[in-house]
Amino acid sequence: MLAPMKYAAPATVEEARALLAADGGARVFAGATDLIPQIRAGRPEPSMMIDLKRIDRLSGIARAGSTWTIGAATPTADIVAHAGFAAEFPGLAEASGLIGSDQIQNRCTWGGNLVNASPAADTPPALIVNDAKAVIASAGGERTVAAAEVATGPGATCLGADEIIVEFTLASPPPRTADAYLRLIPRTEMDIAVVGAAARVTLAPDGAVTAAAVALGAVAPTVVRVPDAEAALIGGPLTDDALEAVAQAASAACRPIDDKRGTVAYRRRVAGVLARRAVAIAADRAAADQRGASS
Amino acid sequence: MTVRVHFSSDLRRLTGGLTEVEVADPGATVKALVANLDGRFPGLGERLSAGTAVMLDGEVIAHPDYEPVADGSEVYFIHQPSGG
Amino acid sequence: MTVTESRPESSSEPPAARPRYRFVGTRPVRHDGLDKVTGRARFAADCDLPGQLAGCVVRSPHAHARIISIDTGEAEAMPGVKAVISGGDFPAVAPGDPNYDMGVNLMARDRVLYEGHAVAAVAALTTDQARAAAAAVRVEYEPLPPVLTIDAALDPAVGAIHAHMFTSGADPAPTEPSNVSQLTNFARGDTEAGFAAADVVIEREFTTQPVHQGYIEPHAVTADASQDGKATVWCSSQGHFNVRAQTAAMLGWETARIKVVPAEIGGGFGGKTTIYLEPLAVLLSAKAGRPVKMVMTRSEVFRATGPAPGSKFRVKLGARSDGTLTAGKAQMAYSSGVFPSYAAFLGAWTVFESYDIADFEVEARNVVLNTPRSAAYRAPSAPMSALATETVVDELAQALGIDPIEMRLRNAVSEGAINTLGAPFPRVGFTECLEAIRDHPHYGAPLGPNQGRGVAAGHWFNIGESSSATVNLNEDGTATVVTGSPDIGGSRASMALMAAEELGIDVYDITPVVGDTESVGFTDITEGSRATFATGMAVVEACRRVVADLRGRAAKMMGVDVSEVDWADGSAVHAGGEHDPLPLAAITAEAKKTGGPITVTGSLDAKGVGPSFAVHLCDVEVDPETGVVQVVRYTAAQDAGTAIHPSYVEGQIQGGAAQGIGWALNEEYIYDGDGVMENPGFLDYRVPVASDLPMIDAVIVEVPNPNHPYGVRGVGETSIIPPLAAVANAVAAATGRRIRDLPMSPVRVLDAIVNSGSDSTDSSSSNG
């Protein structure tokens, strides 16, 4: 007889960590929107499923001063619906609202999306251009890691065996700053990115770009930052030439593969297109951002 | 009594290239007509018996063996179609 | 419950001569509708019996391999395992036997022939135990090289998969086996002369990949074999009499030993016209002495049930400058998976069937591959052949500067035109469908940037076959109509409407049911768009005999001769007016005194099937930088003959269009180099989701079939034929690029946009 899979729903982070540390075959989950399909596809069943949704600290959206704190197990539907958050991070809200379907978004989370470490995940590029930090509960207390550092390869993360992402922190963006996220899928929803592109842009009052971040998904083992695109933007106005330089830099930065969802040539070309479009959308939003005008 | 018989063109290799023949004294039914045709074109009877339909007097008939033929009938041997 | 709806404005008005019906043509809520929307309806996997076991199939990981040995010992010893079977448990089948293909497909014997091929099955107390035991069945394989593409199958240097398969239809008969199972040739006139008479000749190549029907409900069965050597089978299918016959044949049983009870069906589209699990479940049940339930996973559905064939064509058409088509030539190949099929024959029949072309030659080959055995899929083979013809006709119209509808009107077949098989068309509504699209506001509506519009037509012959219907009048004047046709598209509502029209009682006073194999007369599969046509005829025949009986009973009650009694509006009416009319309920109330229960069965093999035509109009918007195609507007006109229940005719039109759009844009089987399917799930096998499609405007054209009591033609299949070409023509209009290899995925469309000159391998010539 196979040992039946056990289920636990701890109320605190420490209980969850203790369960995880005690059983090498245990897995934590929140929405389980990746875990269950993986088990159905034939991956070994965990010996224990540790449900994180009962832990108060892991769910919720809060702003204290200029810092946003988002519980790692917060359903992305709640993030999309949070008007205050979505106003400051429209691109990150977009990425959160693109995962799967409405039903999936009622369950899935940033924490799961990041630690599942799929190269094609939607929220990591948007988290990374916003310099999000992951707060990780460890044996020795807590440590904070940049979202960009969490995934180290397909399905691999920097987390130790008994570590859990507890929450994410994000600094409120400066005035005249906005982000955007675009992805390419063959359908209109219920799909996985063939290419994803996130951008964040800060504009000076004269329209010059003072800060920029561009990150690509699904074109390399982990999210790719595009420093050449950022360099091409900073210091000048958002001209067609600058946008073309973004596209070229993005195409050059990807290290895609041929697979059933797309070819190297396609991903390279479309990465440039989406990066350029995402930067343009972010810049339009930044230019329309009224928070700078009132302060 | 005479009937005119039309063959689908994929049957031509069994009919010496003909797609149309007149049959005098064809018998009373399609089955008898097929026997008559087999005498003239050996092997055609077996082919026609294996799932061939007819169009007779403007109607497709999938299982025509006992359909009566009359003087002046136009008999089109087609195919027993299937579908999804 | 009464629901009355007016026809949408887009539906064409019925011809003035159309008879006035009281029920036919109205839109009552379907009798099975409430159970469906509340989740109460019982589908195949909802059947549970006390003590039942869970069955699980062991499947091949190889596309082609010799089976060295199967060791079930470990599996049999595992906890909860009650039975294990493999090929040796079934009656032997020899190459050439009529049952060989199906028998080997159900359970591999000496070789596995595709990835996912069943090699053994187990039954255990729980699903987990069954899966664990299936994983413990040890199969030793010797891998063999798989044949995976049409080109490879056509290559004489590639070894034949089946040593006993010689190309049928070839002249002279071949002496060597090959992977070409069948050759079909149709020809008429002098093709060379026909092309010489053309002012423009265009020749193009096309390829399509296998696509799955994509029904939501996976195959599922519960079987209960009893000690007296009989078995009851609960399953969903398109024909439970066929399930009974095939299951009996596979087991070597007499038909009477098997009873098949039809469950509600969650989609079939042709894919449930054959069997996969039923004999396995019966055998496991017989061996274990308990009921056995088996439910396929989605992956099993993709890897082991029949997709539609892939295809590769070269099609050439010539036209005079006035648009008249002068000649056609088609070289076609269809891949039917690992066993032969009629796919190539149907493709050869349909490729030029819509147009009156004096001279043509068609040569079609059916090839076998180490991929799952193909099954019927809605108008089998015609969507691919229409892709080719309708694209080339579109290019000819473009080259000649003729409107694409006008081009088709000039060549459309009509009554008396000789079809590909050499027989004259009966009355058909192709011209009416073309006119309906031409006159639709959509046809002249402005297009936005990066948008294009495409039109395409399709034809399906439809079929008749055998049907039975029993009409039982109840004591209170209500009625039960029992048929043997599984209801895959609203046919029960249509049966009730026709019965209501005949009997003159309300449609909701009629309960339409699908009877099991022991409760109703033999009925063929629900396929070929035949249920409303042929089973409807059986219902009408039964009702007319019921009415004759009712008139006799009424005559007895009135004390007059039956010749004086008519039937009108649900009542027996005395012609002389000396007796009050007797409503149906008054007659059934007295049935015991006038001869007993009133019940009649109508059975027939339906003649006079009516071919159906459709014309589709599609607008797409193409992102020129990403190649993403969005269908932004879609209108589909189809000749239904008579729409018995217009909502379900519209549903069939919309459903076929949606499936065809998926086929055009994203759906395909993807195999790795070893023949292992890479996308056996709905994530990477992309059927359209709701947000991918606009509302599909269904325009019902009604040119009644003179050979059906209500003029029905059958509507289920034609709607999937035009979309492939309609979308391709729209993409061409939007981008200036012709994409002739499906699917038109973003990768392929962007490649066509970026790398121009993709037409270089095709020829287009002008004789003038």
Side-chain angles (χ1 to χ4, degrees):
Chain A
M1 219 35 203
L2 299 174
M5 184 166 60
K6 285 179 272 187
Y7 168 84
T12 67
V13 172
E14 277 320 299
E15 279 176 62
R17 259 196 10 81
L19 287 165
L20 196 54
D23 182 348
R27 293 280 301 270
V28 297
F29 76 97
T33 54
D34 284 311
L35 192 54
I36 295 292
Q38 285 163 4
I39 292 169
R40 289 203 175 139
R43 293 227 195 141
E45 284 187 3
S47 52
M48 175 184 282
M49 298 271 284
I50 304 170
D51 188 344
L52 301 178
K53 291 193 290 295
R54 306 270 177 88
I55 304 173
D56 284 346
R57 188 177 164 199
L58 264 71
S59 295
I61 303 166
R63 184 181 175 173
S66 64
T67 300
W68 287 90
T69 301
I70 316 293
T74 309
T76 62
D78 292 357
I79 296 169
V80 175
H82 194 290
F85 181 86
E88 293 191 28
F89 300 96
L92 188 44
E94 275 165 356
S96 305
L98 286 176
I99 302 169
S101 61
D102 288 355
Q103 293 92 328
I104 294 290
Q105 288 159 32
N106 283 329
R107 303 283 296 181
C108 72
T109 66
W110 284 358
N113 206 209
L114 197 57
V115 301
N116 185 55
S118 161
D122 288 309
T123 59
L127 287 165
I128 287 166
V129 297
N130 284 298
D131 199 20
K133 303 280 195 293
V135 178
I136 297 169
S138 304
E142 291 184 356
R143 64 189 183 111
T144 299
V145 172
E149 306 298 321
V150 173
T152 55
T157 69
C158 72
L159 269 66
D162 61 346
E163 289 188 316
I164 299 169
I165 296 185
V166 175
E167 63 199 17
F168 293 88
T169 59
L170 288 146
S172 257
R176 292 175 64 79
T177 297
D179 64 345
Y181 177 77
L182 295 173
R183 71 171 183 186
L184 190 294
I185 55 173
R187 285 188 289 216
T188 48
E189 58 182 1
M190 299 291 287
D191 217 328
I192 285 180
V194 178
V195 179
R200 177 164 130 157
V201 174
T202 303
L203 298 178
D206 67 357
V209 177
T210 58
V214 176
L216 304 171
V219 294
T222 57
V223 172
V224 174
R225 276 290 285 261
V226 192
D228 288 352
E230 296 160 8
L233 289 167
I234 294 170
L238 196 77
T239 60
D240 287 349
D241 284 350
L243 287 171
E244 189 48 40
V246 167
Q248 289 190 10
S251 290
C254 26
R255 286 167 285 134
I257 56 168
D258 280 322
D259 68 8
K260 62 193 172 189
R261 294 184 184 133
T263 60
V264 167
Y266 184 83
R267 286 191 161 107
R268 203 177 277 290
R269 190 175 187 94
V270 171
V273 171
L274 294 195
R276 188 189 75 217
R277 290 179 181 180
V279 166
I281 293 167
D284 279 350
R285 288 173 177 166
D289 181 7
Q290 294 303 306
R291 290 174 306 144
S294 61
S295 63
Chain B
M1 170 164 111
T2 302
V3 300
R4 183 176 291 276
V5 176
H6 305 258
F7 300 113
S8 168
S9 57
D10 63 324
L11 299 175
R12 286 192 303 191
R13 66 196 173 84
L14 295 168
T15 62
L18 296 174
T19 54
E20 198 177 311
V21 293
E22 295 244 337
V23 180
D25 194 18
T29 63
V30 171
K31 187 175 182 176
L33 172 62
V34 168
N36 180 314
L37 289 167
D38 192 55
R40 190 160 158 189
F41 306 112
L44 183 62
E46 186 187 358
R47 176 71 179 76
L48 292 181
S49 304
T52 294
V54 302
M55 187 172 197
L56 181 61
D57 300 330
E59 275 194 331
V60 174
I61 302 169
H63 305 104
D65 283 17
Y66 304 103
E67 289 296 320
V69 293
D71 190 31
S73 282
E74 299 266 342
V75 184
Y76 297 85
F77 282 98
I78 50 175
H79 287 270
Q80 169 58 53
S82 59
Chain C
M1 183 163 56
T2 305
V3 172
T4 313
E5 291 178 37
S6 61
R7 280 160 184 268
E9 283 179 23
S10 61
S11 291
S12 63
E13 286 302 310
R18 181 184 157 157
R20 292 266 163 217
Y21 297 127
R22 187 171 155 205
F23 295 102
V24 165
T26 62
R27 300 169 182 256
V29 167
R30 62 200 291 165
H31 297 65
D32 51 311
L34 202 60
D35 279 355
K36 292 255 172 79
V37 299
T38 56
R40 191 182 300 272
R42 291 171 66 83
F43 293 87
D46 295 324
C47 177
D48 289 301
L49 298 177
Q52 82 185 12
L53 305 174
C56 182
V57 177
V58 181
R59 296 188 183 278
S60 167
H62 301 288
H64 194 191
R66 196 177 321 284
I67 298 173
I68 307 292
S69 64
I70 300 175
D71 179 359
T72 60
E74 187 183 337
E76 282 165 18
M78 288 175 70
V81 174
K82 300 296 180 189
V84 182
I85 58 170
S86 60
D89 292 287
F90 288 85
V93 283
D97 283 359
N99 292 330
Y100 178 82
D101 293 355
M102 178 169 286
V104 171
N105 196 51
L106 280 178
M107 190 62 85
R109 308 297 162 102
D110 56 335
R111 278 187 301 161
V112 288
L113 297 167
Y114 53 91
E115 188 243 343
H117 196 169
V119 290
V122 302
L125 292 173
T126 69
T127 302
D128 282 347
Q129 288 173 337
R131 285 185 184 152
V137 172
R138 304 292 167 216
V139 186
E140 192 185 342
Y141 296 101
E142 176 197 342
L144 300 168
V147 182
L148 297 173
T149 65
I150 290 175
D151 286 339
L154 292 171
D155 182 351
V158 172
I161 296 171
H162 304 289
H164 66 280
M165 201 176 83
F166 296 80
T167 309
S168 71
D171 193 13
T175 55
E176 294 292 324
S178 82
N179 291 316
V180 179
S181 62
Q182 192 248 350
L183 175 68
T184 298
N185 291 96
F186 289 121
R188 178 162 71 209
D190 181 343
T191 309
E192 288 301 309
F195 283 120
D199 294 308
V200 180
V201 174
I202 291 177
E203 182 170 18
R204 300 290 185 234
E205 281 191 12
F206 300 84
T207 63
T208 70
Q209 302 303 314
V211 294
H212 199 270
Q213 297 84 351
Y215 31 81
I216 293 172
E217 180 198 33
H219 298 261
V221 61
T222 303
D224 190 9
S226 59
Q227 279 77 2
D228 59 2
K230 295 184 175 177
T232 304
V233 174
W234 291 262
C235 64
S236 81
S237 77
Q238 288 176 241
H240 41 294
F241 287 89
N242 175 65
V243 171
R244 182 179 67 168
Q246 292 185 335
T247 302
M250 291 301 104
L251 296 171
W253 288 19
E254 297 83 6
T255 302
R257 288 169 63 188
I258 298 172
K259 171 181 178 176
V260 182
V261 183
E264 290 289 347
I265 179 169
F269 314 111
K272 290 178 183 165
T273 56
T274 187
I275 59 169
Y276 299 99
L277 295 175
E278 287 77 4
L280 280 58
V282 171
L283 213 50
L284 285 169
S285 175
K287 208 164 177 175
R290 295 167 67 158
V292 172
K293 177 173 172 175
M294 305 179 84
V295 182
M296 282 196 193
T297 63
R298 182 61 58 188
S299 169
E300 288 181 290
V301 171
F302 275 111
R303 291 182 296 129
T305 74
S311 69
K312 182 172 184 177
F313 301 159
R314 192 168 185 89
V315 168
K316 178 178 173 183
L317 283 167
R320 278 201 284 272
S321 57
D322 66 356
T324 309
L325 294 171
T326 60
K329 183 172 181 178
Q331 293 154 286
M332 317 171 75
Y334 284 89
S335 61
S336 61
V338 73
F339 293 112
S341 82
Y342 281 109
F345 171 79
L346 293 174
W349 179 358
T350 53
V351 65
F352 294 142
E353 187 77 338
S354 297
Y355 300 109
D356 204 350
I357 304 173
D359 304 298
F360 64 77
E361 291 173 46
V362 181
E363 182 169 76
R365 288 177 171 78
N366 197 94
V367 307
V368 297
L369 305 175
N370 288 113
T371 57
R373 182 188 200 190
S374 71
Y377 181 14
R378 226 172 176 157
S381 300
M384 305 82 136
S385 62
L387 168 69
T389 298
E390 293 295 317
T391 298
V392 177
V393 166
D394 204 62
E395 285 199 65
L396 285 169
Q398 207 172 9
L400 293 168
I402 298 174
D403 172 84
I405 296 276
E406 182 56 34
M407 178 83 187
R408 288 168 172 84
L409 280 167
R410 287 180 198 177
N411 296 285
V413 292
S414 57
E415 186 172 2
I418 302 301
N419 71 11
T420 303
L421 304 182
F425 271 100
R427 178 80 170 94
V428 291
F430 188 15
T431 296
E432 288 82 352
C433 289
L434 286 163
E435 289 169 347
I437 290 295
R438 182 194 63 196
D439 300 340
H440 193 283
H442 180 179
Y443 197 57
L447 287 164
N450 297 316
Q451 293 186 351
R453 177 166 295 150
V455 63
H459 153 271
W460 192 243
F461 42 80
N462 296 327
I463 70 168
E465 292 291 352
S466 294
S467 286
S468 299
T470 297
V471 176
N472 296 320
L473 296 190
N474 303 321
E475 309 90 287
D476 61 355
T478 59
T480 307
V481 174
V482 189
T483 72
S485 290
D487 179 355
I488 63 174
S491 60
R492 268 170 295 189
S494 295
M495 300 307 152
L497 283 165
M498 285 182 273
E501 197 71 48
E502 291 290 328
L503 300 175
I505 61 175
D506 191 82
V507 69
Y508 289 118
D509 286 334
I510 292 169
T511 305
V513 297
V514 183
D516 65 52
T517 52
E518 296 178 356
S519 307
V520 67
F522 178 88
T523 299
D524 274 309
I525 301 173
T526 297
E527 64 173 358
S529 305
R530 63 173 289 279
T532 303
F533 169 74
T535 306
M537 279 173 118
V539 168
V540 170
E541 181 181 294
C543 287
R544 288 182 181 175
R545 286 161 57 192
V546 164
V547 165
D549 193 356
L550 287 165
R551 286 173 53 230
R553 311 283 185 123
K556 205 175 273 184
M557 291 164 72
M558 292 172 180
V560 301
D561 189 82
V562 68
S563 64
E564 297 173 44
V565 178
D566 297 326
W567 191 259
D569 288 334
S571 292
V573 181
H574 184 232
E578 291 146 33
H579 300 272
D580 287 341
L582 280 172
L584 186 143
I587 304 171
T588 55
E590 298 285 296
K592 286 191 174 187
K593 304 169 192 166
T594 58
I598 301 172
T599 175
V600 170
T601 290
S603 287
L604 48 78
D605 197 70
K607 302 173 192 171
V609 72
S612 168
F613 282 85
V615 179
H616 288 198
L617 182 63
C618 172
D619 292 355
V620 299
E621 184 169 319
V622 181
D623 184 329
E625 291 188 313
T626 64
V628 170
V629 176
Q630 179 72 34
V631 176
V632 294
R633 188 169 181 184
Y634 204 98
T635 304
Q638 185 170 323
D639 176 16
T642 298
I644 300 297
H645 193 308
S647 297
Y648 303 135
V649 173
E650 289 159 5
Q652 291 292 326
I653 294 173
Q654 290 163 337
Q659 288 183 311
I661 290 167
W663 195 335
L665 292 179
N666 281 306
E667 293 181 41
E668 62 177 323
Y669 269 52
I670 302 172
Y671 287 102
D672 71 10
D674 296 323
V676 174
M677 189 180 179
E678 290 196 280
N679 58 335
F682 281 139
L683 177 58
D684 285 303
Y685 182 92
R686 292 184 174 77
V687 299
V689 297
S691 56
D692 290 339
L693 299 171
M695 187 63 197
I696 292 163
D697 189 357
V699 179
I700 301 173
V701 174
E702 293 187 306
V703 178
N705 173 6
N707 295 321
H708 186 276
Y710 289 101
V712 170
R713 290 184 185 275
V715 295
E717 296 173 282
T718 314
S719 53
I720 202 173
I721 302 169
L724 282 58
V727 175
N729 290 338
V731 168
T735 63
R737 299 280 186 273
R738 291 275 173 186
I739 298 166
R740 304 186 188 95
D741 302 302
L742 297 193
M744 291 176 280
S745 60
V747 172
R748 197 165 263 151
V749 173
L750 187 63
D751 185 59
I753 292 171
V754 172
N755 303 311
S756 55
S758 61
D759 288 358
S760 58
T761 58
D762 295 307
S763 65
S764 171
S765 66
S766 172
N767 295 346

